[in-house]
Amino acid sequence: MNKQSNTYTIIYIIVLVVLVGTALAATSLALKSRQQENVDADKMGQILAAALITPAKGEAVADFGKYITDQYAVNSEGEKLEGVKAFDVDVAAQSKLQADKRELPVFVCTLPDGETKYILPVYGAGLWGPIWGYMAFDADGSTVYGAYFAHQGETPGLGAEIEKPQFSDQFKGRQVFKDGRFRPIAVVKAGQKPLDGEDYVDGISGGTITSKGVGAMIDNCLTPYRRFLSELAKQ
């Protein structure tokens, strides 16, 4: 075949595309399990971070197995759901459902000193994309032990500050039950206070929309756990 002809050029390009595409597809399939392992390990590290546990590099999976001593899902009535593993629940999808239709993950963390913490996931929307996190509660079902927040594309130096300890550390010691009422923690502009008397934290300066997103996320995702948390208090 004439290598200078258009036919040769077209055939050459088609063959090259097929070979490269096949190689890329094979590589993707070969790495898929490892990629999923990395995603899972990162998620485990985030869950542990809410309980103020920072795994050493490469130890997230081992520490998750060590400190997360139970995991399950409940419904809005606080009842355990059979056959549902907390880690496998798609929190992003569940957060869009009506409260009484949701599967609500619970991760039970036993600290080195024997104390038990209950870690609950939250998911919402920031200014530029999704935001999410985990909040750890004491066994009283009201007091926040620790919190971790992350984002996909918030503005560096502004909304992205929600991932910094300076923001998440404010949640420590805050309570979701006040005067016998369930009141999710509010995120307000620095210097202001919520009108309803609930516990609150200061929002990010210059990151108003992201801060409001965190507040809305906490309200939307924690409210369905009200029955579950109140049962913890009774126990």
Side-chain angles (χ1 to χ4, degrees):
M1 182 180 292
N2 182 5
K3 294 185 178 182
Q4 304 302 319
S5 67
N6 290 335
T7 301
Y8 177 84
T9 301
I10 292 172
I11 293 175
Y12 179 84
I13 293 173
I14 291 174
V15 172
L16 183 63
V17 169
V18 170
L19 290 176
V20 172
T22 301
L24 289 174
T27 301
S28 178
L29 288 173
L31 296 176
K32 187 174 181 178
S33 61
R34 181 174 298 179
Q35 291 171 343
Q36 188 59 50
E37 288 174 1
N38 290 336
V39 170
D40 289 348
D42 182 60
K43 180 177 176 179
M44 291 176 184
Q46 293 181 22
I47 293 170
L48 291 173
L52 310 183
I53 298 172
T54 304
K57 186 176 181 180
E59 295 298 318
V61 176
D63 283 354
F64 186 85
K66 177 180 179 181
Y67 295 110
I68 302 302
T69 51
D70 196 8
Q71 58 170 298
Y72 49 85
V74 299
N75 59 22
S76 60
E77 297 298 317
E79 303 164 334
K80 286 188 179 182
L81 300 174
E82 295 298 327
V84 181
K85 184 179 179 181
F87 197 84
D88 296 334
V89 174
D90 185 345
V91 178
Q94 294 296 318
S95 68
K96 297 177 176 62
L97 300 177
Q98 293 182 2
D100 60 353
K101 303 294 184 182
R102 298 186 196 179
E103 297 175 347
L104 307 169
V106 178
F107 298 92
V108 182
C109 179
T110 302
L111 301 181
D113 61 6
E115 288 192 13
T116 300
K117 309 300 176 184
Y118 296 85
I119 305 172
L120 314 178
V122 292
Y123 187 96
L127 175 59
W128 301 112
I131 55 177
W132 64 91
Y134 298 89
M135 299 182 67
F137 288 84
D138 288 343
D140 65 4
S142 179
T143 308
V144 177
Y145 177 73
Y148 171 88
F149 300 105
H151 65 92
Q152 180 172 294
E154 299 306 285
T155 307
L158 298 175
E161 294 297 297
I162 64 170
E163 66 182 3
K164 300 293 181 62
Q166 290 88 334
F167 177 71
S168 59
D169 284 353
Q170 296 182 86
F171 287 83
K172 296 177 182 177
R174 300 296 192 269
Q175 296 188 332
V176 294
F177 283 99
K178 302 283 288 186
D179 302 322
R181 293 175 53 196
F182 182 80
R183 303 179 184 181
I185 300 163
V187 181
V188 300
K189 185 176 181 179
Q192 296 183 352
K193 295 182 179 180
L195 299 176
D196 201 29
E198 63 263 44
D199 271 356
Y200 65 94
V201 300
D202 291 335
I204 302 297
S205 178
T208 303
I209 295 178
T210 306
S211 297
K212 288 182 177 179
V214 173
M217 171 177 71
I218 292 173
D219 189 3
N220 176 51
C221 292
L222 288 190
T223 299
Y225 285 100
R226 180 177 60 84
R227 290 284 184 87
F228 170 76
L229 292 172
S230 64
E231 287 300 318
L232 288 182
K234 293 177 182 178
Q235 296 173 16

